[in-house]
Amino acid sequence: MNNDTIKLLNLEHIRHIIKTINVTKNNDKILCYITLLPTDVSCPLCGGTYNVIKDYQEKRIIHSVINDTPLIIIYKARRYKCKYCNNIFYEFNPFALKYCNCSSYTIVKVLKDLRDHTKTFTSVARDLFISPHTVMNIFDSYVDCHRRSLPKVLCFDEVYTSKKLDNKYAFVMTDFIDRKIVDICPSRRNYRLSQYFTKIPKHERDNVKFIVIDMWKTYKDLSERYFYSAKIAVDSFHVIKHLNDAMNAIRIKIMNKYDKRTKSLQANDMYYYMLKKFHYFFTKNFDDIYCGKIKIPKIRAKWDKYAILKYLLSIDDDLTYAYRLKEEYREFNSTATYDNCDDDFDELVEKFCNSYLEDFRDFGMVLVNWKEYIKNSFIRVQGRRLSNGPAEGLNSLIKTLMKESNGFINFRRFRNRVMYSINKDVPIKGSPNKK
């Protein structure tokens, strides 16, 4: 019976020193009374071996080996007195580390559960029947993530952290190839990042060959200042976002001409209704729009996406012109390569800059200002086009962690928690195992 109990409680590694074990249930807890065999001990102060038992002290250790019920190990620890120096000391505790009331198994379980980015300190504490404060102390004691070596391709991005921290946005560096977080800095401000990059050895920064950024001037300036050997590429997603914003602004201006609440009504409100209801036709990839019949409640009919698009573009010639030019750029963005993009890109820049629509002229200036970096985004590394996709994907995991945790007030803990749960290869400090 004892052998089965020892195995069930995951105490097989100390089977040889267990004298007796007795398990009882008290209300909603399981109490496990264990007596250990006496062992030869030496005084930790003088090394003497002539020691006598002074007394016994009861120790209670949380052992989270059962999922639905708290289990507490209770054993009487022998206290010895050294006959040479009168030093008083405890026998070796095989269940837990010194000054810890959680078993080594519980500590390992805490660290394992915190690898999951959807779990919080509170949820892990609830599952293991310990306090959130204990879980945080365990995490802080065993996890201290260091910056990874700078990779060949770096992605720069930011993520919202919390109003409780000094800076609402943290700077995140991601390895484009391995899809892992290189490091997280508490601020994305220029002077703070300048201090950070200055501390990284120049030879390591020179190993970076490509940097992918969004269209924020600070990232461009820092990349040019500290990464001389790297080509800078603008993530195409952000370029398309600027294009969609321009297209949406044009749609809204045209839509508002047909609003019955205005004094300059040009037609009935059906145009207004359709342009508002199917706004996504102007910004979403047409192939991604639902192919079946789409319900139009106002006229109690169902049209397919081809009929809807045809109707929308028939409303206004400016809308047709804008939509087709927008689609021309999207087609270029999805099919061009780094070697053949120059001529087509220059032609599109000219079309946008010379457009009679102000919003498209503004977008044309964006293309002019970021021309070199947009072209670099067509470069492929290991068969993949340069983009901030890996960074955005990891940022989504960070946001999930932030949402589940309801924010952090300690940036060091936030950084360690993110890197520990996303970079699965982050080691722990020391070893909590008592074997």
Side-chain angles (χ1 to χ4, degrees), residues 70-127:
L71 185 148
I72 299 175
I73 291 177
I74 302 174
Y75 93 102
K76 290 185 177 179
R78 298 177 179 87
R79 281 209 308 169
Y80 290 92
K81 182 176 181 179
C82 177
K83 285 295 186 178
Y84 294 109
C85 65
N86 292 325
N87 179 40
I88 297 173
F89 59 94
Y90 282 100
E91 67 178 340
F92 172 71
N93 180 349
F95 305 105
L97 299 174
K98 195 173 182 180
Y99 307 122
C100 185
N101 67 342
C102 293
S103 69
S104 300
Y105 176 89
T106 302
I107 293 175
V108 171
K109 193 74 167 63
V110 166
L111 296 173
K112 181 180 178 181
D113 288 353
L114 288 176
R115 289 282 188 189
D116 186 345
H117 72 280
T118 64
K119 291 189 176 182
T120 66
F121 294 125
T122 302
S123 67
V124 171
R126 183 174 58 249
D127 293 342

Short mmCIF file of all heavy atoms in Angstrom, two decimals, residues 70-127:
data_model
loop_
_atom_site.label_atom_id
_atom_site.label_comp_id
_atom_site.label_asym_id
_atom_site.label_seq_id
_atom_site.Cartn_x
_atom_site.Cartn_y
_atom_site.Cartn_z
N PRO A 70 -6.30 20.18 -2.37
CA PRO A 70 -5.00 20.54 -1.81
C PRO A 70 -4.43 19.41 -0.96
O PRO A 70 -5.17 18.78 -0.19
CB PRO A 70 -5.31 21.78 -0.97
CG PRO A 70 -6.77 21.72 -0.70
CD PRO A 70 -7.40 21.03 -1.86
N LEU A 71 -3.15 19.17 -1.11
CA LEU A 71 -2.47 18.12 -0.34
C LEU A 71 -1.32 18.75 0.43
O LEU A 71 -0.53 19.51 -0.13
CB LEU A 71 -1.96 17.03 -1.27
CG LEU A 71 -1.34 15.79 -0.61
CD1 LEU A 71 -1.59 14.54 -1.45
CD2 LEU A 71 0.17 15.96 -0.42
N ILE A 72 -1.24 18.40 1.72
CA ILE A 72 -0.20 18.95 2.58
C ILE A 72 0.60 17.81 3.18
O ILE A 72 0.05 16.88 3.78
CB ILE A 72 -0.80 19.82 3.69
CG1 ILE A 72 -1.58 20.99 3.08
CG2 ILE A 72 0.29 20.33 4.62
CD1 ILE A 72 -2.31 21.83 4.09
N ILE A 73 1.90 17.87 2.99
CA ILE A 73 2.80 16.90 3.62
C ILE A 73 3.15 17.41 5.02
O ILE A 73 3.55 18.56 5.20
CB ILE A 73 4.09 16.72 2.79
CG1 ILE A 73 3.78 16.01 1.47
CG2 ILE A 73 5.14 15.94 3.58
CD1 ILE A 73 4.98 15.88 0.55
N ILE A 74 2.95 16.55 5.99
CA ILE A 74 3.28 16.90 7.38
C ILE A 74 4.33 15.91 7.87
O ILE A 74 4.10 14.70 7.87
CB ILE A 74 2.04 16.85 8.29
CG1 ILE A 74 0.96 17.81 7.76
CG2 ILE A 74 2.41 17.19 9.73
CD1 ILE A 74 -0.35 17.72 8.52
N TYR A 75 5.47 16.44 8.24
CA TYR A 75 6.48 15.55 8.81
C TYR A 75 7.23 16.26 9.92
O TYR A 75 7.37 17.49 9.92
CB TYR A 75 7.41 15.03 7.72
CG TYR A 75 8.66 15.82 7.49
CD1 TYR A 75 9.88 15.39 7.99
CD2 TYR A 75 8.63 17.01 6.76
CE1 TYR A 75 11.04 16.11 7.78
CE2 TYR A 75 9.78 17.73 6.53
CZ TYR A 75 10.99 17.28 7.05
OH TYR A 75 12.13 18.01 6.83
N LYS A 76 7.70 15.47 10.87
CA LYS A 76 8.43 16.03 12.00
C LYS A 76 9.91 16.01 11.68
O LYS A 76 10.54 14.95 11.63
CB LYS A 76 8.13 15.23 13.27
CG LYS A 76 6.71 15.43 13.78
CD LYS A 76 6.49 14.72 15.09
CE LYS A 76 5.07 14.99 15.62
NZ LYS A 76 4.83 14.29 16.90
N ALA A 77 10.44 17.20 11.49
CA ALA A 77 11.85 17.32 11.15
C ALA A 77 12.70 17.25 12.42
O ALA A 77 12.41 17.92 13.42
CB ALA A 77 12.10 18.65 10.44
N ARG A 78 13.71 16.42 12.38
CA ARG A 78 14.61 16.29 13.52
C ARG A 78 15.51 17.52 13.62
O ARG A 78 16.05 17.99 12.61
CB ARG A 78 15.46 15.04 13.39
CG ARG A 78 14.66 13.75 13.36
CD ARG A 78 15.59 12.56 13.16
NE ARG A 78 14.85 11.30 13.14
CZ ARG A 78 14.30 10.78 12.04
NH1 ARG A 78 14.44 11.40 10.89
NH2 ARG A 78 13.62 9.64 12.11
N ARG A 79 15.67 18.00 14.85
CA ARG A 79 16.65 19.06 15.11
C ARG A 79 17.78 18.46 15.92
O ARG A 79 17.56 17.83 16.97
CB ARG A 79 16.03 20.23 15.88
CG ARG A 79 15.21 21.15 15.00
CD ARG A 79 15.19 22.57 15.54
NE ARG A 79 14.81 22.65 16.94
CZ ARG A 79 14.92 23.77 17.68
NH1 ARG A 79 15.39 24.87 17.14
NH2 ARG A 79 14.55 23.77 18.95
N TYR A 80 18.99 18.65 15.40
CA TYR A 80 20.16 18.07 16.03
C TYR A 80 20.95 19.13 16.79
O TYR A 80 20.93 20.31 16.44
CB TYR A 80 21.08 17.42 14.99
CG TYR A 80 20.50 16.16 14.36
CD1 TYR A 80 19.76 16.23 13.18
CD2 TYR A 80 20.71 14.92 14.95
CE1 TYR A 80 19.23 15.08 12.60
CE2 TYR A 80 20.20 13.76 14.37
CZ TYR A 80 19.46 13.86 13.20
OH TYR A 80 18.95 12.71 12.63
N LYS A 81 21.69 18.63 17.78
CA LYS A 81 22.61 19.50 18.52
C LYS A 81 24.00 18.89 18.44
O LYS A 81 24.20 17.71 18.74
CB LYS A 81 22.18 19.64 19.97
CG LYS A 81 23.07 20.57 20.77
CD LYS A 81 22.56 20.76 22.18
CE LYS A 81 23.46 21.73 22.96
NZ LYS A 81 22.97 21.94 24.34
N CYS A 82 24.95 19.69 18.00
CA CYS A 82 26.32 19.23 17.87
C CYS A 82 26.99 19.25 19.24
O CYS A 82 26.99 20.27 19.95
CB CYS A 82 27.09 20.13 16.90
SG CYS A 82 28.84 19.68 16.74
N LYS A 83 27.58 18.13 19.61
CA LYS A 83 28.22 18.02 20.91
C LYS A 83 29.54 18.77 20.97
O LYS A 83 30.06 19.04 22.05
CB LYS A 83 28.45 16.54 21.23
CG LYS A 83 27.20 15.79 21.65
CD LYS A 83 26.65 16.34 22.96
CE LYS A 83 25.47 15.50 23.47
NZ LYS A 83 24.97 16.01 24.77
N TYR A 84 30.09 19.11 19.82
CA TYR A 84 31.37 19.81 19.79
C TYR A 84 31.21 21.32 19.92
O TYR A 84 31.92 21.98 20.68
CB TYR A 84 32.13 19.48 18.50
CG TYR A 84 32.55 18.03 18.41
CD1 TYR A 84 31.94 17.17 17.50
CD2 TYR A 84 33.56 17.53 19.23
CE1 TYR A 84 32.32 15.84 17.43
CE2 TYR A 84 33.96 16.19 19.16
CZ TYR A 84 33.33 15.35 18.25
OH TYR A 84 33.70 14.05 18.18
N CYS A 85 30.27 21.88 19.12
CA CYS A 85 30.15 23.35 19.10
C CYS A 85 28.79 23.84 19.57
O CYS A 85 28.52 25.05 19.52
CB CYS A 85 30.44 23.88 17.71
SG CYS A 85 29.25 23.34 16.45
N ASN A 86 27.92 22.89 19.96
CA ASN A 86 26.57 23.23 20.46
C ASN A 86 25.68 23.87 19.39
O ASN A 86 24.66 24.50 19.72
CB ASN A 86 26.64 24.14 21.68
CG ASN A 86 27.24 23.43 22.89
OD1 ASN A 86 27.01 22.23 23.07
ND2 ASN A 86 28.00 24.15 23.70
N ASN A 87 26.07 23.76 18.14
CA ASN A 87 25.24 24.30 17.06
C ASN A 87 23.97 23.44 16.90
O ASN A 87 24.01 22.21 17.00
CB ASN A 87 26.02 24.30 15.74
CG ASN A 87 25.19 24.83 14.59
OD1 ASN A 87 24.44 25.79 14.74
ND2 ASN A 87 25.32 24.20 13.43
N ILE A 88 22.86 24.10 16.67
CA ILE A 88 21.57 23.41 16.49
C ILE A 88 21.16 23.55 15.03
O ILE A 88 21.17 24.66 14.47
CB ILE A 88 20.49 23.99 17.42
CG1 ILE A 88 20.89 23.76 18.89
CG2 ILE A 88 19.14 23.36 17.12
CD1 ILE A 88 19.97 24.43 19.87
N PHE A 89 20.81 22.45 14.40
CA PHE A 89 20.48 22.48 12.98
C PHE A 89 19.47 21.38 12.66
O PHE A 89 19.31 20.41 13.40
CB PHE A 89 21.75 22.29 12.14
CG PHE A 89 22.49 21.00 12.41
CD1 PHE A 89 22.25 19.86 11.64
CD2 PHE A 89 23.40 20.92 13.46
CE1 PHE A 89 22.93 18.69 11.89
CE2 PHE A 89 24.08 19.73 13.71
CZ PHE A 89 23.84 18.62 12.93
N TYR A 90 18.79 21.59 11.52
CA TYR A 90 17.79 20.63 11.05
C TYR A 90 18.43 19.55 10.18
O TYR A 90 19.49 19.78 9.57
CB TYR A 90 16.72 21.33 10.22
CG TYR A 90 15.68 22.08 11.02
CD1 TYR A 90 15.77 23.46 11.18
CD2 TYR A 90 14.61 21.40 11.61
CE1 TYR A 90 14.81 24.15 11.90
CE2 TYR A 90 13.65 22.09 12.34
CZ TYR A 90 13.76 23.46 12.49
OH TYR A 90 12.81 24.14 13.22
N GLU A 91 17.76 18.42 10.13
CA GLU A 91 18.16 17.40 9.16
C GLU A 91 17.81 17.87 7.75
O GLU A 91 17.05 18.82 7.57
CB GLU A 91 17.45 16.08 9.47
CG GLU A 91 15.94 16.13 9.23
CD GLU A 91 15.25 14.80 9.49
OE1 GLU A 91 15.94 13.76 9.48
OE2 GLU A 91 14.03 14.80 9.71
N PHE A 92 18.36 17.20 6.76
CA PHE A 92 18.09 17.55 5.37
C PHE A 92 16.60 17.36 5.05
O PHE A 92 16.01 16.32 5.36
CB PHE A 92 18.94 16.67 4.45
CG PHE A 92 18.59 16.81 3.00
CD1 PHE A 92 18.90 17.97 2.30
CD2 PHE A 92 17.92 15.79 2.33
CE1 PHE A 92 18.58 18.11 0.97
CE2 PHE A 92 17.59 15.93 0.99
CZ PHE A 92 17.92 17.09 0.32
N ASN A 93 16.01 18.38 4.45
CA ASN A 93 14.59 18.33 4.06
C ASN A 93 14.50 17.86 2.61
O ASN A 93 14.86 18.62 1.70
CB ASN A 93 13.97 19.72 4.22
CG ASN A 93 12.50 19.76 3.85
OD1 ASN A 93 11.96 18.81 3.28
ND2 ASN A 93 11.85 20.86 4.16
N PRO A 94 14.00 16.65 2.35
CA PRO A 94 13.97 16.14 0.98
C PRO A 94 12.76 16.62 0.17
O PRO A 94 12.66 16.33 -1.01
CB PRO A 94 13.91 14.63 1.18
CG PRO A 94 13.13 14.48 2.45
CD PRO A 94 13.50 15.64 3.32
N PHE A 95 11.84 17.35 0.82
CA PHE A 95 10.60 17.74 0.14
C PHE A 95 10.66 19.14 -0.46
O PHE A 95 10.06 19.40 -1.50
CB PHE A 95 9.42 17.69 1.13
CG PHE A 95 9.25 16.37 1.81
CD1 PHE A 95 9.62 16.19 3.13
CD2 PHE A 95 8.75 15.27 1.12
CE1 PHE A 95 9.47 14.97 3.76
CE2 PHE A 95 8.59 14.05 1.73
CZ PHE A 95 8.96 13.89 3.06
N ALA A 96 11.37 20.02 0.21
CA ALA A 96 11.34 21.42 -0.22
C ALA A 96 12.69 22.07 0.02
O ALA A 96 13.52 21.58 0.81
CB ALA A 96 10.25 22.18 0.52
N LEU A 97 12.89 23.19 -0.64
CA LEU A 97 14.11 23.97 -0.44
C LEU A 97 14.03 24.73 0.88
O LEU A 97 12.95 24.91 1.46
CB LEU A 97 14.28 24.95 -1.61
CG LEU A 97 14.44 24.33 -2.99
CD1 LEU A 97 14.46 25.42 -4.05
CD2 LEU A 97 15.71 23.50 -3.06
N LYS A 98 15.15 25.21 1.32
CA LYS A 98 15.23 25.92 2.58
C LYS A 98 14.35 27.18 2.55
O LYS A 98 14.30 27.90 1.55
CB LYS A 98 16.68 26.30 2.87
CG LYS A 98 16.94 26.71 4.31
CD LYS A 98 18.43 26.92 4.54
CE LYS A 98 18.71 27.27 5.99
NZ LYS A 98 20.17 27.47 6.22
N TYR A 99 13.66 27.42 3.62
CA TYR A 99 12.78 28.58 3.80
C TYR A 99 11.61 28.58 2.80
O TYR A 99 11.06 29.63 2.50
CB TYR A 99 13.55 29.90 3.64
CG TYR A 99 14.77 30.00 4.51
CD1 TYR A 99 16.03 30.22 3.96
CD2 TYR A 99 14.67 29.88 5.90
CE1 TYR A 99 17.15 30.31 4.76
CE2 TYR A 99 15.80 29.95 6.71
CZ TYR A 99 17.04 30.18 6.14
OH TYR A 99 18.15 30.25 6.93
N CYS A 100 11.23 27.43 2.31
CA CYS A 100 10.12 27.35 1.35
C CYS A 100 9.08 26.36 1.86
O CYS A 100 9.44 25.25 2.28
CB CYS A 100 10.64 26.93 -0.02
SG CYS A 100 9.36 26.93 -1.31
N ASN A 101 7.81 26.75 1.82
CA ASN A 101 6.75 25.84 2.29
C ASN A 101 6.05 25.14 1.14
O ASN A 101 5.00 24.54 1.32
CB ASN A 101 5.73 26.61 3.14
CG ASN A 101 4.93 27.62 2.32
OD1 ASN A 101 5.33 27.99 1.22
ND2 ASN A 101 3.80 28.05 2.85
N CYS A 102 6.63 25.23 -0.05
CA CYS A 102 6.12 24.50 -1.21
C CYS A 102 7.11 23.40 -1.57
O CYS A 102 8.33 23.63 -1.54
CB CYS A 102 5.93 25.43 -2.41
SG CYS A 102 4.65 26.64 -2.20
N SER A 103 6.61 22.27 -1.94
CA SER A 103 7.49 21.18 -2.34
C SER A 103 8.19 21.53 -3.65
O SER A 103 7.72 22.39 -4.42
CB SER A 103 6.71 19.88 -2.50
OG SER A 103 5.85 19.95 -3.62
N SER A 104 9.31 20.87 -3.90
CA SER A 104 10.03 21.08 -5.15
C SER A 104 9.15 20.73 -6.34
O SER A 104 9.22 21.36 -7.40
CB SER A 104 11.31 20.25 -5.17
OG SER A 104 12.14 20.63 -4.10
N TYR A 105 8.31 19.70 -6.17
CA TYR A 105 7.39 19.31 -7.24
C TYR A 105 6.45 20.47 -7.56
O TYR A 105 6.18 20.76 -8.74
CB TYR A 105 6.59 18.08 -6.83
CG TYR A 105 5.54 17.67 -7.83
CD1 TYR A 105 5.85 16.79 -8.86
CD2 TYR A 105 4.25 18.18 -7.77
CE1 TYR A 105 4.90 16.41 -9.80
CE2 TYR A 105 3.29 17.83 -8.70
CZ TYR A 105 3.62 16.94 -9.70
OH TYR A 105 2.67 16.59 -10.63
N THR A 106 5.95 21.15 -6.54
CA THR A 106 5.03 22.27 -6.74
C THR A 106 5.73 23.41 -7.48
O THR A 106 5.15 24.03 -8.38
CB THR A 106 4.50 22.78 -5.38
OG1 THR A 106 3.84 21.71 -4.71
CG2 THR A 106 3.53 23.93 -5.57
N ILE A 107 6.98 23.68 -7.13
CA ILE A 107 7.73 24.73 -7.81
C ILE A 107 7.90 24.40 -9.29
O ILE A 107 7.69 25.26 -10.17
CB ILE A 107 9.10 24.93 -7.14
CG1 ILE A 107 8.91 25.48 -5.73
CG2 ILE A 107 9.98 25.87 -7.96
CD1 ILE A 107 10.19 25.59 -4.94
N VAL A 108 8.26 23.15 -9.57
CA VAL A 108 8.42 22.73 -10.97
C VAL A 108 7.10 22.87 -11.72
O VAL A 108 7.06 23.31 -12.87
CB VAL A 108 8.94 21.28 -11.05
CG1 VAL A 108 8.90 20.77 -12.48
CG2 VAL A 108 10.35 21.19 -10.50
N LYS A 109 6.00 22.52 -11.05
CA LYS A 109 4.67 22.62 -11.67
C LYS A 109 4.31 24.07 -11.96
O LYS A 109 3.75 24.40 -13.01
CB LYS A 109 3.62 22.00 -10.75
CG LYS A 109 2.26 21.76 -11.39
CD LYS A 109 2.30 20.60 -12.35
CE LYS A 109 0.89 20.17 -12.74
NZ LYS A 109 0.14 21.20 -13.46
N VAL A 110 4.65 24.97 -11.05
CA VAL A 110 4.41 26.41 -11.26
C VAL A 110 5.14 26.89 -12.50
O VAL A 110 4.56 27.54 -13.38
CB VAL A 110 4.85 27.23 -10.03
CG1 VAL A 110 4.92 28.72 -10.37
CG2 VAL A 110 3.90 27.01 -8.87
N LEU A 111 6.42 26.56 -12.59
CA LEU A 111 7.24 27.01 -13.72
C LEU A 111 6.76 26.39 -15.03
O LEU A 111 6.80 27.04 -16.08
CB LEU A 111 8.70 26.65 -13.47
CG LEU A 111 9.35 27.37 -12.27
CD1 LEU A 111 10.74 26.82 -12.02
CD2 LEU A 111 9.39 28.88 -12.49
N LYS A 112 6.29 25.18 -14.98
CA LYS A 112 5.76 24.53 -16.19
C LYS A 112 4.46 25.19 -16.64
O LYS A 112 4.27 25.47 -17.83
CB LYS A 112 5.54 23.04 -15.92
CG LYS A 112 5.01 22.28 -17.13
CD LYS A 112 4.80 20.81 -16.80
CE LYS A 112 4.21 20.06 -18.01
NZ LYS A 112 3.97 18.63 -17.70
N ASP A 113 3.58 25.45 -15.71
CA ASP A 113 2.29 26.06 -16.06
C ASP A 113 2.45 27.47 -16.60
O ASP A 113 1.68 27.91 -17.46
CB ASP A 113 1.36 26.08 -14.84
CG ASP A 113 0.84 24.69 -14.48
OD1 ASP A 113 1.10 23.74 -15.26
OD2 ASP A 113 0.20 24.55 -13.42
N LEU A 114 3.45 28.19 -16.11
CA LEU A 114 3.65 29.57 -16.56
C LEU A 114 4.25 29.65 -17.96
O LEU A 114 4.39 30.74 -18.51
CB LEU A 114 4.52 30.33 -15.57
CG LEU A 114 3.86 30.67 -14.24
CD1 LEU A 114 4.85 31.33 -13.29
CD2 LEU A 114 2.64 31.56 -14.42
N ARG A 115 4.62 28.51 -18.55
CA ARG A 115 5.03 28.50 -19.96
C ARG A 115 3.85 28.82 -20.88
O ARG A 115 4.03 29.23 -22.01
CB ARG A 115 5.59 27.12 -20.33
CG ARG A 115 6.93 26.79 -19.74
CD ARG A 115 8.06 27.46 -20.45
NE ARG A 115 9.36 26.98 -19.99
CZ ARG A 115 10.51 27.52 -20.33
NH1 ARG A 115 10.55 28.56 -21.13
NH2 ARG A 115 11.65 27.04 -19.88
N ASP A 116 2.64 28.60 -20.38
CA ASP A 116 1.43 28.85 -21.16
C ASP A 116 1.06 30.32 -21.04
O ASP A 116 0.77 30.81 -19.94
CB ASP A 116 0.29 27.96 -20.62
CG ASP A 116 -0.97 28.04 -21.46
OD1 ASP A 116 -1.08 28.98 -22.28
OD2 ASP A 116 -1.85 27.18 -21.30
N HIS A 117 1.05 31.04 -22.18
CA HIS A 117 0.80 32.49 -22.14
C HIS A 117 -0.64 32.83 -21.79
O HIS A 117 -0.93 34.00 -21.49
CB HIS A 117 1.16 33.13 -23.49
CG HIS A 117 0.18 32.80 -24.59
ND1 HIS A 117 0.20 31.61 -25.28
CD2 HIS A 117 -0.84 33.52 -25.11
CE1 HIS A 117 -0.78 31.60 -26.16
NE2 HIS A 117 -1.41 32.75 -26.10
N THR A 118 -1.53 31.84 -21.79
CA THR A 118 -2.93 32.12 -21.44
C THR A 118 -3.18 32.00 -19.94
O THR A 118 -4.25 32.35 -19.46
CB THR A 118 -3.89 31.18 -22.18
OG1 THR A 118 -3.64 29.82 -21.76
CG2 THR A 118 -3.69 31.27 -23.68
N LYS A 119 -2.17 31.52 -19.20
CA LYS A 119 -2.34 31.37 -17.75
C LYS A 119 -1.73 32.55 -17.03
O LYS A 119 -0.74 33.14 -17.47
CB LYS A 119 -1.70 30.06 -17.28
CG LYS A 119 -2.43 28.81 -17.76
CD LYS A 119 -1.91 27.55 -17.10
CE LYS A 119 -2.73 26.33 -17.52
NZ LYS A 119 -2.26 25.09 -16.85
N THR A 120 -2.31 32.88 -15.91
CA THR A 120 -1.84 34.01 -15.11
C THR A 120 -1.30 33.50 -13.78
O THR A 120 -1.47 32.34 -13.42
CB THR A 120 -2.99 34.99 -14.84
OG1 THR A 120 -3.97 34.35 -14.00
CG2 THR A 120 -3.65 35.43 -16.14
N PHE A 121 -0.65 34.40 -13.06
CA PHE A 121 -0.17 34.03 -11.73
C PHE A 121 -1.33 33.59 -10.84
O PHE A 121 -1.21 32.63 -10.08
CB PHE A 121 0.55 35.22 -11.08
CG PHE A 121 1.81 35.63 -11.79
CD1 PHE A 121 2.00 36.93 -12.23
CD2 PHE A 121 2.83 34.71 -12.01
CE1 PHE A 121 3.17 37.30 -12.87
CE2 PHE A 121 4.00 35.08 -12.66
CZ PHE A 121 4.17 36.38 -13.09
N THR A 122 -2.46 34.29 -10.97
CA THR A 122 -3.62 33.96 -10.15
C THR A 122 -4.21 32.61 -10.51
O THR A 122 -4.57 31.82 -9.63
CB THR A 122 -4.68 35.06 -10.29
OG1 THR A 122 -4.13 36.32 -9.90
CG2 THR A 122 -5.89 34.76 -9.42
N SER A 123 -4.32 32.34 -11.81
CA SER A 123 -4.92 31.06 -12.22
C SER A 123 -4.03 29.88 -11.85
O SER A 123 -4.52 28.83 -11.43
CB SER A 123 -5.20 31.06 -13.73
OG SER A 123 -4.00 31.08 -14.48
N VAL A 124 -2.71 30.05 -11.97
CA VAL A 124 -1.79 28.98 -11.57
C VAL A 124 -1.88 28.77 -10.06
O VAL A 124 -1.89 27.63 -9.58
CB VAL A 124 -0.35 29.33 -11.99
CG1 VAL A 124 0.65 28.35 -11.38
CG2 VAL A 124 -0.23 29.32 -13.51
N ALA A 125 -1.95 29.86 -9.32
CA ALA A 125 -2.07 29.74 -7.86
C ALA A 125 -3.35 29.01 -7.47
O ALA A 125 -3.36 28.16 -6.58
CB ALA A 125 -2.05 31.14 -7.23
N ARG A 126 -4.43 29.32 -8.16
CA ARG A 126 -5.71 28.67 -7.86
C ARG A 126 -5.65 27.18 -8.17
O ARG A 126 -6.14 26.35 -7.40
CB ARG A 126 -6.81 29.34 -8.68
CG ARG A 126 -8.20 28.79 -8.41
CD ARG A 126 -9.27 29.58 -9.14
NE ARG A 126 -9.04 29.61 -10.59
CZ ARG A 126 -8.70 30.68 -11.27
NH1 ARG A 126 -8.51 31.83 -10.65
NH2 ARG A 126 -8.51 30.63 -12.58
N ASP A 127 -5.02 26.82 -9.29
CA ASP A 127 -4.93 25.41 -9.67
C ASP A 127 -4.06 24.60 -8.73
O ASP A 127 -4.30 23.40 -8.52
CB ASP A 127 -4.38 25.28 -11.10
CG ASP A 127 -5.33 25.85 -12.14
OD1 ASP A 127 -6.52 26.01 -11.82
OD2 ASP A 127 -4.88 26.14 -13.26
#
